[in-house]
Amino acid sequence: RAHLPGEGVFQCSITGLAFEVKSAVTITYRYASWTRYLSEAVQRRWMPAGPLFRIEAQPGVVQTVLLPHFICLADWGSSKQCTIAHFKSGKMTLEDPTVLMPFSAVLENPNFSLLGVLWRKLRSSLVSLPVHSMVLIFQQLRAANTTLHLYLIPDDKSVKQAIEKQEMDWNSKVIPKPSPLTPLFFSCVYQVAGTNSVEITPDEHLTLCYRSPNEQQLFVEIYIGNMAEDTELSLTDTRENKRVWKTLLRSGGNSGGCLAMGNTVTWAWCLPGSAFVKKNKTELCSRMVQPHSILLHLRDANVINDDEEEEVLSQDTRQRKNRVLLDLVERKGLEAQEQLYQVLSKRDPYLIADLEKSS
């Protein structure tokens, strides 16, 4: 439950759910399970593309709701395949989003009950559907030597929260690691591998798929008999034999900290990405690296065009490139700044974490 003090745009830092309100209001929301409400007929045509929320708010005060989704629009940007499911009194209606943004679907003047984003299934292309994903690693504290659980899931905070709760019950601790920087693909098989003779059971292959938060999520168990040396873990796309993710487990350094599952919800005025970019513009100008790679992601997401990319790259120093890029994104508005923030979060999470900590 969050009490919003007045007019503005607010986003929950835990769920990604955001609201634009025209006056003070109290909003109550919780996760719900898709499997409880989607019929078999609907599941043949549509697939969940983000969390399902049960939302309660005073009618007429919320102007816009932003519902998070995990589809990568840079590679798959047709808004015609996206819909918002609205469940009320046991019946489902489908509503077209007002705007489809890179990480959320926008619905103006919403009526609240159960809301979530669905994506239309296309038989010919479902296998190649690109999604933003997360790799979660947990260490079993009561198991012999070093025993890990590795999950590969869509970037759905409700699923992540359910996994964290389950792992807490199993007396595990999280080992924070960056997620894949590029989109992965639904229904594709990814091979888990490791150095130093790790043992992976029951099988070293994981299929990226969506399972509702109330279902048991797929994972592999990784056993490392001797952590005297650093161990590398990786994921490989079995279709192209291409490595898509890797991380290093340092010997003696994976304390990670215990999971904290509190109920605290923090809010920020305006979209967090734009607030972060504006507040840290000077630091970003001096500390952003690989501007060419950042530009490539922004161009693929249709934030900038070829001429604008060329304008940035024509600058003679990295700091000047960064300055022109930041000015360009700022002129394009909140959505462009949010996209830049998301790119930086994936490409340079340590810079983002350091700046957020100092803020």
Side-chain angles (χ1 to χ4, degrees), residues 85-100:
H86 185 183
F87 299 91
K88 194 169 185 178
S89 301
K91 296 182 179 180
M92 183 184 77
T93 58
L94 301 179
E95 302 182 44
D96 293 333
T98 308
V99 179
L100 184 59

Side-chain angles (χ1 to χ4, degrees), residues 74-358:
D75 296 324
W76 198 282
S78 175
S79 60
K80 295 180 180 179
Q81 293 166 238
C82 178
T83 192
I84 296 175
H86 185 183
F87 299 91
K88 194 169 185 178
S89 301
K91 296 182 179 180
M92 183 184 77
T93 58
L94 301 179
E95 302 182 44
D96 293 333
T98 308
V99 179
L100 184 59
M101 295 172 60
F103 296 93
S104 59
V106 181
L107 185 63
E108 292 182 350
N109 302 315
N111 293 314
F112 289 126
S113 57
L114 284 161
L115 290 174
V117 181
L118 293 176
W119 200 263
R120 185 187 297 276
K121 290 183 177 180
L122 297 179
R123 293 182 180 178
S124 61
S125 54
L126 180 60
V127 171
S128 60
L129 181 62
V131 300
H132 300 291
S133 60
M134 291 188 286
V135 176
L136 304 178
I137 302 176
F138 297 87
Q139 181 178 352
Q140 292 255 279
L141 298 180
R142 293 177 181 170
N145 293 323
T146 302
T147 301
L148 308 175
H149 291 169
L150 185 147
Y151 298 80
L152 177 61
I153 61 171
D155 189 359
D156 184 316
K157 303 300 188 296
S158 64
V159 176
K160 177 175 180 286
Q161 188 179 85
I163 292 173
E164 290 174 339
K165 185 178 184 302
Q166 177 67 82
E167 288 289 343
M168 281 188 65
D169 293 340
W170 291 341
N171 193 32
S172 302
K173 66 178 181 181
V174 68
I175 301 178
K177 292 296 179 181
S179 293
L181 297 177
T182 57
L184 302 187
F185 298 89
F186 262 151
S187 302
C188 290
V189 178
Y190 295 89
Q191 182 175 2
V192 184
T195 57
N196 296 340
S197 302
V198 303
E199 297 179 21
I200 302 173
T201 56
D203 185 82
E204 69 270 19
H205 296 94
L206 276 175
T207 301
L208 179 57
C209 61
Y210 181 85
R211 288 196 170 197
S212 190
N214 63 336
E215 298 180 83
Q216 175 62 57
Q217 304 295 320
L218 300 175
F219 67 90
V220 297
E221 183 177 270
I222 301 172
Y223 174 75
I224 306 174
N226 182 9
M227 274 295 293
E229 299 180 3
D230 294 349
T231 300
E232 182 181 278
L233 299 178
S234 64
L235 290 175
T236 299
D237 187 332
T238 57
R239 299 174 306 169
E240 303 175 351
N241 196 30
K242 177 183 177 182
R243 188 161 65 177
V244 295
W245 176 85
K246 68 175 181 178
T247 193
L248 191 65
L249 302 176
R250 302 187 184 280
S251 57
N254 290 308
S255 58
C258 293
L259 286 172
M261 294 294 293
N263 293 321
T264 302
V265 179
T266 57
W267 298 83
W269 286 97
C270 76
L271 292 175
S274 69
F276 178 89
V277 171
K278 287 181 179 179
K279 187 170 186 177
N280 296 283
K281 186 174 180 180
T282 301
E283 285 290 324
L284 289 172
C285 185
S286 62
R287 297 177 62 181
M288 279 196 310
V289 296
Q290 297 180 327
H292 189 282
S293 178
I294 296 172
L295 286 167
L296 179 62
H297 281 77
L298 293 177
R299 190 187 63 191
D300 288 344
N302 296 319
V303 175
I304 63 172
N305 57 39
D306 291 343
D307 292 338
E308 291 165 337
E309 180 183 24
E310 186 176 343
E311 178 188 359
V312 175
L313 294 176
S314 66
Q315 307 303 311
D316 56 358
T317 67
R318 178 174 59 84
Q319 287 196 5
R320 288 181 180 175
K321 288 182 173 70
N322 288 343
R323 171 64 65 179
V324 173
L325 172 58
L326 289 166
D327 288 343
L328 177 64
V329 170
E330 188 174 14
R331 290 197 302 270
K332 287 179 175 285
L334 297 179
E335 186 176 339
Q337 293 168 54
E338 175 71 17
Q339 182 71 17
L340 174 60
Y341 174 78
Q342 296 294 341
V343 171
L344 291 174
S345 296
K346 289 180 177 292
R347 296 207 61 82
D348 200 346
Y350 298 107
L351 170 61
I352 297 298
D354 185 58
L355 292 179
E356 288 179 337
K357 182 179 178 180
S358 63

